[in-house]
Amino acid sequence: MATQLNPYISFSGEAKQAMEFYKEVLGGDLAVHTYGNFGSEAPPGYADKIMHSQLQTAGGFTLMGADNPPGTEHKPGNNFAVSLSGDDSNELRGYWDKLSAGGTVSVPLEKQMWGDVFGMCTDKFGITWMVNINEQG
């Protein structure tokens, strides 16, 4: 899979409804995964919350979204990130190294419970980036 760059929107409990709405508007295939889908015990009240969703349209659009993780504040207007994802580990690690330099790492780039390597940082300009290296090949 080639590396993709797309928006990632955070919601305050309404990710499922919002992503279903975007599917109605844009068409395509919607994949939705709750915190409870990943086998480990979900945080209290989060079993049915969306941990990750992805809308892929026939026109080539990709939109991702999720409910805010426990303990994070929902800030409308600042509730998005830019996501880089794919399976080229060297390419994506290179992007991560450059984006996180001089910024703040909120989730270190490391293996996650869903099987991929993932990290999240805010660059030196205040933009949040998510990097996901697909290792489920």
Side-chain angles (χ1 to χ4, degrees), residues 1-65:
M1 156 197 303
T3 300
Q4 293 181 307
L5 180 132
N6 58 272
Y8 202 114
I9 304 171
S10 296
F11 298 93
S12 182
E14 68 279 346
K16 186 172 192 295
Q17 297 89 333
M19 294 301 289
E20 287 173 347
F21 169 74
Y22 298 137
K23 178 183 178 188
E24 288 177 26
V25 171
L26 301 169
D29 296 316
L30 177 61
V32 176
H33 305 283
T34 65
Y35 281 85
N37 290 140
F38 286 98
S40 61
E41 190 170 318
Y46 272 78
D48 294 329
K49 299 282 186 200
I50 305 305
M51 184 175 180
H52 175 72
S53 64
Q54 180 171 325
L55 176 62
Q56 192 73 44
T57 73
F61 301 144
T62 301
L63 179 63
M64 295 180 181

Side-chain angles (χ1 to χ4, degrees), residues 1-8 33 38 51-54 62 64-66 81-97 99 107-121 128-137:
M1 156 197 303
T3 300
Q4 293 181 307
L5 180 132
N6 58 272
Y8 202 114
H33 305 283
F38 286 98
M51 184 175 180
H52 175 72
S53 64
Q54 180 171 325
T62 301
M64 295 180 181
V82 181
S83 171
L84 285 165
S85 57
D87 53 16
D88 188 328
S89 181
N90 289 334
E91 177 184 33
L92 289 160
R93 286 178 186 280
Y95 294 145
W96 171 262
D97 291 343
L99 289 165
V107 177
L109 186 65
E110 59 190 22
K111 187 92 161 185
Q112 300 296 325
M113 70 173 118
W114 58 90
D116 292 348
V117 172
F118 173 84
M120 187 163 55
C121 68
T128 301
W129 291 85
M130 303 165 93
V131 175
N132 191 87
I133 303 168
N134 182 357
E135 294 199 339
Q136 300 178 40

